[in-house]
Amino acid sequence: MGNCLPFHSGAIHVSKKKQVLPVETIFKLPSPLPPWPEGEGFASGSINLGGLEVCQVSTFNKIWATQEGGPDNLGATFFEPASLPSGYFMLGCYSQPNNTTLFGWVLAGKDECNALSCPLQMPVDYKLVWSSESSKIKQDGSGYIWLPIPPDGYKAVGHVVTNSSMKPPLDKIRCVRSDLTEDSQHDEWIWSNSNGINIYGMKPAIIGTQAPGVCVGTFIAQVDGVSPPITLSCLKNKADNLSSMPNLSQIQALVQNYSPWIYLHPDEQYLPSSVNWFFTNGALLYKQGDQSNPIPVDPTGSNLPQGGSNDGTYWLDLPIDGKAKDRVKKGDLSSAGAYLHVKTILGATFTDIAIWPFYPFNGAARAKVEFINVSLGKIGEHVGDWEHVTLRISNFTGELWRVFFSEHSGGTWIDASQLEFQGGNKVVTYASLHGHAFYSKPGLVLQGNTKIDCHGYRGKV
């Protein structure tokens, strides 16, 4: 009769397995990081901010979690940094939504006093910002979020989270001397519930290549739409050098390790090329008021206007001859390459490597009505199309943390833990049909009305 199991009478007890949340899995890049070429301060494990030495900590101890609210209604988990190097102190706790694998960091500070003052000091007290005691939510025990009260001349840069109603010890955390801090703003939403608590990430109020603000990796708690009475700050890089940035050989190694795979749509007509190929094959320079006398662009681009602003006085166009125009429109994949723009960001604690492919021509958009694709004529067409993928890399370790996918005039930052990789740590990107906008996943992109497709299809070749 085959393989049968004996039948036992009586009640059958079915155990309900606890849901395993994505946050319970630690994300790691597909391949180990290589040894980076020698340099000055890049990937050395710590950075001196001109009076405060900090390191990046990405190992955590779980303190408290809730299993509802937040993205996908899966809740959020709160951690404190673990295994701090000798001499370093916690600056704040970390939190992230439960709907993604655990992938984050916080900075820890080293207390090195001089004859004048110390960069770090213990708080003088704590204020309870919020407690989950009375919250009727799915949770692991009760959670308590505390705001450190800094001494005069210092600022708090993170919260303390506990699973006890007792105030944390004063030596649990450190506050930072005011001149080493910058104003902060809310970053991405992490979690909230019906009791009025909102948890956000935190980033410097001003972000740019020249801005000194440094992300601490901590979060800010807002209750009933009101920020804490003492505003949490970010850190500030006061160092007058960029020693934490990668040098040329290190940049080459980073690009070799992380350079993306770019998949074009299988129906793509307008391929990338090198800029030199575009110039050599008949690109023309026009000037306002003298449109009848375009000038061939020198293969090196040396006769292009320099400086000034984009005032519409000059523009580039395709060759006049019809056959040459059609050929240049299609691009030349064999000549195509990438153009790199390397820049410092977040107070030189990260490096952005923008990778730019060039397309001689951007094709027309299409409308999608139900199951029919309709050409929109020349709408969306233009000569010379630049798109980019930007890799954001930690200057503490050389690890890839985020990637920016440009989408025409905008784009999206996506954490490395949410990306597709191929061939080790190389990011996979998908370029949209005709428009070449970059996305992290293949599929159909709709813009505007849900029945209108302005980007076309995108997908693997």
Side-chain angles (χ1 to χ4, degrees):
M1 294 179 63
N3 296 322
C4 298
L5 295 175
F7 176 78
H8 295 281
S9 61
I12 299 176
H13 299 281
V14 179
S15 61
K16 186 177 181 181
K17 292 185 178 179
K18 180 182 177 182
Q19 180 184 10
V20 178
L21 297 170
V23 75
E24 296 176 46
T25 300
I26 299 174
F27 171 80
K28 292 185 178 180
L29 290 170
S31 297
L33 296 184
W36 305 115
E38 291 186 5
E40 191 172 352
F42 176 74
S44 64
S46 65
I47 295 176
N48 193 306
L49 302 179
L52 175 63
E53 186 172 322
V54 292
C55 69
Q56 196 175 62
V57 181
S58 55
T59 55
F60 299 104
N61 290 326
K62 176 182 171 181
I63 303 300
W64 177 74
T66 172
Q67 291 79 43
E68 64 179 80
D72 296 333
N73 196 34
L74 290 179
T77 302
F78 295 78
F79 304 86
E80 67 177 29
S83 304
L84 271 61
S86 177
Y88 284 85
F89 294 92
M90 185 176 87
L91 302 178
C93 287
Y94 172 75
S95 178
Q96 75 163 61
N98 289 338
N99 70 333
T100 60
T101 53
L102 179 57
F103 182 63
W105 53 268
V106 292
L107 298 186
K110 194 171 187 179
D111 196 9
E112 294 182 322
C113 300
N114 55 36
L116 297 177
S117 65
C118 296
L120 304 176
Q121 288 282 6
M122 292 187 294
V124 296
D125 198 1
Y126 292 97
K127 177 180 176 59
L128 182 62
V129 176
W130 180 82
S131 165
S132 70
E133 275 185 351
S134 60
S135 299
K136 295 180 179 180
I137 57 175
K138 298 176 185 177
Q139 56 179 317
D140 298 340
S142 295
Y144 304 81
I145 300 177
W146 303 87
L147 176 69
I149 307 301
D152 290 343
Y154 288 77
K155 291 187 176 181
V157 297
H159 289 290
V160 175
V161 179
T162 66
N163 50 25
S164 167
S165 59
M166 293 180 62
K167 283 186 180 181
L170 294 179
D171 63 356
K172 182 74 174 178
I173 195 172
R174 293 296 187 270
C175 301
V176 182
R177 202 172 63 219
S178 296
D179 65 299
L180 295 168
T181 65
E182 281 277 299
D183 291 341
S184 68
Q185 62 174 318
H186 290 175
D187 199 355
E188 295 178 354
W189 172 60
I190 295 174
W191 179 72
S192 64
N193 77 353
S194 57
N195 288 351
I197 178 73
N198 282 278
I199 305 294
Y200 298 93
M202 198 168 62
K203 61 184 179 181
I206 301 175
I207 296 177
T209 57
Q210 303 298 318
V214 172
C215 257
V216 188
T218 53
F219 66 89
I220 187 167
Q222 191 177 65
V223 181
D224 296 328
V226 179
S227 296
I230 299 175
T231 304
L232 293 179
S233 298
C234 289
L235 295 179
K236 178 180 183 178
N237 192 344
K238 296 180 65 178
D240 57 359
N241 63 71
L242 297 176
S243 61
S244 61
M245 291 288 291
N247 58 28
L248 182 58
S249 61
Q250 290 168 335
I251 291 170
Q252 291 170 338
L254 290 168
V255 172
Q256 181 69 28
N257 194 64
Y258 297 125
S259 57
W261 289 90
I262 298 175
Y263 283 97
L264 302 174
H265 191 278
D267 297 330
E268 184 59 67
Q269 301 166 264
Y270 309 111
L271 301 176
S273 76
S274 69
V275 174
N276 178 264
W277 182 90
F278 176 56
F279 290 165
T280 302
N281 284 271
L284 298 173
L285 174 65
Y286 285 81
K287 183 178 181 180
Q288 193 173 33
D290 193 17
Q291 290 93 321
S292 59
N293 295 300
I295 302 171
V297 178
D298 184 89
T300 65
S302 59
N303 62 336
L304 294 175
Q306 303 294 316
S309 59
N310 185 12
D311 55 8
T313 302
Y314 295 91
W315 64 93
L316 296 175
D317 210 336
L318 301 168
I320 296 174
D321 177 74
K323 288 185 178 180
K325 177 186 290 187
D326 290 340
R327 184 170 65 87
V328 173
K329 270 186 178 182
K330 294 178 181 179
D332 180 64
L333 195 58
S334 65
S335 73
Y339 300 84
L340 304 185
H341 180 198
V342 181
K343 52 189 176 180
T344 177
I345 200 71
L346 295 172
T349 55
F350 284 82
T351 294
D352 279 359
I353 301 179
I355 301 173
W356 296 83
F358 171 77
Y359 300 80
F361 191 72
N362 188 99
R366 300 178 306 161
K368 185 175 181 65
V369 181
E370 294 295 340
F371 301 105
I372 302 173
N373 296 314
V374 180
S375 172
L376 295 180
K378 293 183 177 296
I379 295 176
E381 290 186 348
H382 62 81
V383 175
D385 184 31
W386 290 96
E387 300 290 348
H388 71 96
V389 176
T390 296
L391 312 174
R392 179 157 291 178
I393 296 164
S394 167
N395 287 348
F396 293 93
T397 62
E399 186 172 359
L400 177 70
W401 283 98
R402 306 188 87 189
V403 175
F404 182 82
F405 295 82
S406 70
E407 301 163 14
H408 308 301
S409 59
T412 305
W413 281 106
I414 300 179
D415 288 343
S417 61
Q418 305 303 303
L419 298 176
E420 178 184 350
F421 292 89
Q422 179 180 324
N425 296 331
K426 296 180 181 294
V427 178
V428 176
T429 65
Y430 299 91
S432 66
L433 179 62
H434 293 176
H436 313 130
F438 282 127
Y439 298 91
S440 63
K441 296 178 181 178
L444 177 66
V445 176
L446 299 175
Q447 196 174 59
N449 187 290
T450 57
K451 295 184 179 181
I452 298 178
D453 173 13
C454 295
H455 290 196
Y457 294 92
R458 52 189 168 87
K460 294 183 178 180
V461 291

